[in-house]
Amino acid sequence: MRIDIVTIFPGYFDTLELSLLGKAKDRGLLDVRVHDLRGFAHDRHRTVDDTPTGGGAGMVMKPEPWGAALDAILLSAQEAEPGVFDAEPDNGSQAPLIIFPSPAGEVFSQSMARELAAERHLVFGCGRYEGIDQRVVDEYSAGGRVRLISLGDYVLNGGEVATLAMIEAIGRLLPGVVGNPESLVEESHEDGLLEYPSFTKPATWRGRDVPPVLLSGNHAAIAAWRQQQRIDRTRAVRPELLPPED
Ligand code: ADE
């Protein structure tokens, strides 16, 4: 998968060199390209923001640098793979999907991560301040593929942390990124329930014993205990995830 990121803080994405995603990059499973938005601002001060039209607090990101950055990325995608722009945007197109992280977007979830993991090319546009001039979203939505996605119902200072979180959730679902694919199956949210609690050695720590069933060697009993733990945990902290009871 190719991922382009447009940001005024490229340094945020240094952490993509670490851990599983760093290995995935080294192995060519993930091709991540980070672009400094200021490199597409052509005035002397490389200005990327201005005051909100109509008044109000804060600053808004100017459309021109965004247009230049996104055009350059889309052009390079088209040059690399001319066929990807062939289909219509809402009809199986494999053209790049542009994601603007935004508290005003659809809420990100595990099922959305799965959907996005099937894309060939994601472009993340990280807004700052009070957001990006709306005409940028409108321009690339007309004839292109754009989604506004929120990490959750709280406000971050910009899209960078949300982009990192999404890339981690999506990247680990790509074939070959997580060494043992079975570990993806029993996780929280994969089938709508939270994960069961995990234990390792020693069998007793600070007077706390591992649940005896886990030491029984009875695989059916262990599986039943884990499933019950998942249901109990989900009922206790996220009851809205459980199917409605008749
Ligand atoms: N930018 C600011 N807040 C955000 C959020 N909750 N999700 C995604 N992007 C954001």
Side-chain angles (χ1 to χ4, degrees):
M1 173 185 275
R2 174 171 162 187
I3 296 179
D4 286 85
I5 302 165
V6 183
T7 172
I8 57 168
F9 293 118
Y12 261 100
F13 299 95
D14 291 352
T15 56
L16 292 176
E17 301 302 326
L18 306 175
S19 189
L20 282 179
L21 291 187
K23 288 204 190 93
K25 279 182 75 185
D26 293 344
R27 287 160 53 214
L29 300 172
L30 257 188
D31 171 11
V32 181
R33 308 180 193 189
V34 182
H35 311 267
D36 186 348
L37 182 68
R38 289 190 197 282
F40 297 90
H42 299 302
D43 64 308
R44 205 155 50 91
H45 301 290
R46 303 214 281 164
T47 312
V48 293
D49 60 334
D50 208 332
T51 53
T53 303
M59 299 292 268
V60 176
M61 294 189 111
K62 292 163 64 60
E64 303 93 323
W66 279 103
L70 294 173
D71 283 354
I73 291 167
L74 296 180
L75 184 65
S76 93
Q78 195 157 27
E79 281 170 358
E81 288 181 290
V84 300
F85 288 84
D86 286 353
E88 290 300 309
D90 52 2
N91 192 14
S93 168
Q94 284 294 288
L97 175 65
I98 303 176
I99 296 172
F100 293 108
S102 163
E106 323 159 60
V107 178
F108 190 62
S109 63
Q110 187 66 20
S111 65
M112 202 186 287
R114 283 223 164 271
E115 205 183 306
L116 297 176
E119 294 282 338
R120 303 159 67 95
H121 186 178
L122 299 176
V123 180
F124 288 91
C126 303
R128 281 262 142 187
Y129 317 117
E130 301 306 311
I132 305 172
D133 187 304
Q134 178 63 31
R135 289 169 294 179
V136 176
V137 175
D138 298 343
E139 169 81 1
Y140 291 93
S141 301
R145 301 175 66 226
V146 172
R147 284 174 88 164
L148 264 62
I149 303 181
S150 170
L151 211 56
D153 292 337
Y154 43 81
V155 180
L156 304 167
N157 284 332
E160 284 77 6
V161 167
T163 294
L164 278 171
M166 287 190 259
I167 291 177
E168 181 151 318
I170 295 163
R172 61 197 297 284
L173 298 176
L174 300 178
V177 171
V178 169
N180 176 5
E182 271 181 33
S183 67
L184 297 175
V185 175
E186 294 184 334
E187 291 176 330
S188 289
H189 302 296
E190 267 307 327
D191 64 359
L193 293 178
L194 302 184
E195 206 167 23
Y196 55 77
S198 299
F199 299 85
T200 183
K201 294 177 260 316
T204 303
W205 177 76
R206 297 194 179 176
R208 296 171 187 276
D209 295 334
V210 163
V213 63
L214 299 179
L215 302 169
S216 68
N218 180 338
H219 297 298
I222 292 171
W225 180 85
R226 286 177 167 166
Q227 185 61 10
Q228 192 58 47
Q229 288 287 313
R230 302 183 72 208
I231 294 167
D232 293 350
R233 266 186 161 186
T234 307
R235 184 170 293 127
V237 294
R238 298 291 302 279
E240 76 280 11
L241 297 179
L242 290 172
E245 286 177 47
D246 316 310

